[in-house]
Amino acid sequence: KRINEMDIHPTGPLWGKGEAISKNDTLALEQSVLKDWQDWQQQLEKLGLSQERRALRLFPQNLKWQFINETSLLLEFELGPGSYATAVLRELAEIQDMSQKISAVSPSPSE
């Protein structure tokens, strides 16, 4: 009931040094998912990050949107601490990194 009411949220690990906060089946699941990322885990620990958890969902508040013209959309919203606007935008739009395609078709400065 509390999950459906958005009072609490499922969480996922943010890797770092220290003991994992999750236990039992959750710990086993997270360790199996992270088994191919051991190099990353070790480096995050060396960088001094600590084990933390982050909500796996977020809900923007006070969402406002307006088309500025045919190709531009203005979005405004508020997020709670620890949430990132880029995560919201990723879910709302198809974003492609065109830098590789552009450099492949653009003539070099010497041409």
Side-chain angles (χ1 to χ4, degrees), residues 46-97:
K46 285 181 185 178
L47 290 170
L49 278 75
S50 299
Q51 288 272 341
E52 295 185 35
R53 298 193 70 78
R54 174 90 20 104
L56 295 176
R57 63 182 187 170
L58 59 89
F59 296 92
Q61 301 296 311
N62 301 317
L63 177 65
K64 298 176 189 172
W65 58 274
Q66 172 187 354
F67 283 103
I68 297 173
N69 57 44
E70 290 183 18
T71 60
S72 300
L73 174 66
L74 174 65
L75 294 172
E76 294 181 34
F77 52 87
E78 297 172 8
L79 296 173
S83 299
Y84 294 93
T86 51
V88 175
L89 297 176
R90 181 187 65 228
E91 297 302 319
L92 295 175
E94 182 177 319
I95 301 169
Q96 297 179 356
D97 179 358

